[in-house]
Structure formats: structure tokens, C-alpha cells
Amino acid sequence: MKVGIFGYGNMGSGLALCIGKTVGRENTVIYDIDENKRNKAVEDGFGSAIDPYFLCDVSDLILIAVKPTDVEGLLRDISGRIREKLIVSIVAGLSTERIASLTGGKRIIRVMPNVNVLVGKGTIAYTCGEGVSNEDEEIFLKVFSGCGDIFKIKEDLMNSFTALCGSGPAFVSQFVRALNLAGVREGFDSQTSLKLVLSLIEGTVTLMKEKGMDPDDIVYMVSSPGGTTIEGVRYMEEKGFGGIVINTVREARKRAENIG
Ligand SMILES: NC(=O)c1ccc[n+]([C@@H]2O[C@H](COP(=O)([O-])OP(=O)(O)OC[C@H]3O[C@@H](n4cnc5c(N)ncnc54)[C@H](OP(=O)(O)O)[C@@H]3O)[C@@H](O)[C@H]2O)c1
């Protein structure tokens, strides 16, 4: 199995490192328009293609990881060579139907990863075009298994997923930042405060996952009647914290729709 990757930027390089763990770096070939990035790929132990056509010819699965502004020109250029290949695209806003019309291909999987793939902990959604077989899907899941948690979703939820989990690392970071500032306000230095907050978040997530608890379980478990926690929770409720978060994701989703 040879994987060819177009684009060795933020996402392409991050995914390549994860994919390299499952198929082997020697079986992963990169083509980036920028020679420096091609050289970097070779330094990182990957194969590098001298031109886009060579990459198409040697690859069984082709991953498209270039910017939305560059993708249509690229797909038109290589369309004659990728019609029969398994095409995986992470390009935001580009539908499987549009990829099919640009390439004439049928085996198309659209993927939305988030930046957490850089540490192999991505939250990744995918949707399959009509011509994708069960075997194609199995190959895809195997190749991407080192990138993080993978969820199959309907294509019409892709913009919502992009808002929730694609933009999500920034939203979570906003919350981490606010808690960090709260720690500083209470008298901790900022480095200590950040360590406390990261440990707090990691521990809370682990508690939910390992004990099968949902957020309400934890809120009620920690909030004793008339105690400290319920005062903080009441303040969050009063100021509309939940509504702010829900609307944050909705605004991001609307923007994804407009861009698409
Ligand atoms: N960043 C995220 O969090 C995120 C999340 C989900 C999905 N995505 C999607 O991931 C894709 C890549 O994003 P990114 O942040 O990794 O972009 P990036 O860092 O700009 O990487 C794209 C790379 O592709 C190169 N390139 C441009 N045209 C090419 C061509 N025809 N053939 C080969 N390489 C070409 C670019 O070179 P030049 O710089 O010289 O143009 C650049 O090195 C985007 O479509 C985006 O929608 C991103």
C-alpha cells in the first residue's frame, strides 16, 4: 500500500507523520509545490515525488492536503491519473460531489481532521462518496488509525463538525486561557496556573471516559448543597455560559457554510 500526499504544510505533514506509523514512512510519498517542503519531507524519512503525476502513478491512496484556493487547479491537472484511485480530501468546504466532478473519480472520501492530529490525538470525521466500497473504507480506516479518533458522519453535518471539532481546539483553548487567567487572579503565577488547569482538564476528561460519567454526573457529584461549587455553577448559568458556547459553534458553522 502506497500513500501519496499532496501538500506538506501544517496538516499534510502532521497527517504524514501519523500515517507513516501505520504504512511506513518509506511507503508514504509527498509532493509539495514548495521545494523546501519536499526537502523537509525527505529529511523526515518520506519519499518525495519530483512532479504531481509521478506521485499519482505510484500511489494507491491519494491524500489531498492543499489549501482550498489551490485545490481546484490541482485536481483538474491530475484528473486523468487519479480516476481509479482512492482519493481522500481534507480540504474544508469541498464536497465529494465537487471532487468527483473535477476528477471524474468515484472512490472519494472526504475527511475533516483537527489540528490535534499533530500529536496523533485528532478528532476526525469522514464521509464516503457513492463509489466507495467497504474495502476502500477499511483501507482508509487502517491508514488513518494512528491519527486519532475517527467518526463516520453524514456529509450534510460536515460544516457542523468543522465548527464543533475543527475550530474546537481554539474554543477549548479560550476556556483554558480564561481558567488560567482566573488562576493568576487568585494569586498563582501564570506557569503554575496553566499546569493546574491542564491537569484539571485532562483529569476531568479521563474521569468521564473511564467511569462512563457524563458532564451532569460530575456537576452534581462536585456540587454539595449550599457549597462552593454550586455558587460558581450558578454564576455561569446566570451569565449564559452555555448559550455563549452553543452560539459560538453556530456562528462558526454559519461561516463554514458561507465559505463553502
Ligand atoms: N489547519 C487546520 O486546522 C485544518 C483543519 C482541517 C482541514 N484543513 C484543511 O487542510 C488543508 C491544508 O491546510 P494547511 O493548514 O495544512 O495548509 P498549508 O500549511 O498552507 O499547506 C498546504 C501546502 O500545500 C502546498 N501546495 C499548494 N499548491 C499545491 C499543489 N498544487 N501541489 C502540492 N502542494 C501544493 C502549499 O505550498 P505553498 O505554501 O507554497 O502554497 C503548502 O505547502 C486545507 O485545505 C484546509 O482546509 C485544515
Side-chain angles (χ1 to χ4, degrees):
M1 157 67 54
K2 285 253 188 237
V3 175
I5 303 179
F6 279 101
Y8 199 64
N10 298 315
M11 297 304 286
S13 61
L15 287 167
L17 293 170
C18 300
I19 290 169
K21 280 189 231 153
T22 47
V23 302
R25 292 193 188 188
E26 68 285 3
N27 292 316
T28 309
V29 187
I30 313 288
Y31 178 75
D32 195 292
I33 209 160
D34 178 346
E35 193 184 347
N36 292 329
K37 296 213 178 98
R38 290 203 299 275
N39 291 341
K40 175 78 175 70
V42 173
E43 272 171 34
D44 290 342
F46 297 103
S48 166
I50 40 162
D51 65 43
Y53 315 115
F54 176 78
L55 182 127
C56 296
D57 293 346
V58 297
S59 306
D60 305 297
L61 182 157
I62 294 182
L63 172 62
I64 309 289
V66 302
K67 288 269 189 221
T69 42
D70 297 317
V71 74
E72 298 220 349
L74 169 67
L75 291 180
R76 279 201 189 91
D77 188 29
I78 58 175
S79 62
R81 302 198 182 222
I82 59 172
R83 233 160 255 165
E84 309 303 324
K85 309 269 175 173
L86 180 55
I87 304 169
V88 177
S89 163
I90 63 160
V91 179
L94 190 72
S95 67
T96 51
E97 209 178 313
R98 182 76 187 132
I99 297 170
S101 80
L102 286 164
T103 61
K106 291 196 170 60
R107 300 165 63 207
I108 298 160
I109 299 182
R110 179 181 172 190
V111 176
M112 179 49 63
N114 65 11
V115 76
N116 299 343
V117 296
L118 298 181
V119 289
K121 293 264 181 191
T123 309
I124 301 159
Y126 75 100
T127 193
C128 295
E130 282 173 12
V132 173
S133 65
N134 290 340
E135 196 192 342
D136 289 337
E137 205 172 331
E138 273 168 29
I139 290 170
F140 159 74
L141 288 171
K142 197 166 170 202
V143 168
F144 281 76
S145 59
C147 303
D149 296 325
I150 307 180
F151 302 87
K152 187 172 188 177
I153 65 169
K154 290 188 187 147
E155 189 155 14
D156 60 10
L157 278 173
M158 241 341 147
N159 285 329
S160 298
F161 179 86
T162 301
L164 186 64
C165 295
S167 305
F171 304 149
V172 172
S173 297
Q174 284 281 79
F175 184 53
V176 169
R177 184 173 171 274
L179 281 175
N180 191 20
L181 288 171
V184 172
R185 190 178 187 213
E186 294 305 314
F188 296 100
D189 66 75
S190 62
Q191 282 180 343
T192 305
S193 177
L194 185 58
K195 280 185 193 156
L196 295 175
V197 171
L198 292 180
S199 165
L200 162 71
I201 289 179
E202 200 172 349
T204 309
V205 170
T206 308
L207 189 60
M208 284 188 206
K209 283 187 161 178
E210 289 191 4
K211 300 278 183 197
M213 297 171 94
D214 69 23
D216 268 348
D217 294 332
I218 294 183
V219 170
Y220 284 109
M221 190 169 82
V222 183
S223 302
S224 50
T228 315
T229 307
I230 192 62
E231 272 312 298
V233 171
R234 179 197 58 76
Y235 191 79
M236 289 174 100
E237 294 287 327
E238 190 182 295
K239 295 294 176 187
F241 177 78
I244 288 172
V245 174
I246 291 166
N247 286 334
T248 296
V249 173
R250 173 148 294 207
E251 290 301 313
R253 194 257 294 153
K254 285 199 257 177
R255 179 73 184 133
E257 280 169 2
N258 288 342
I259 293 171

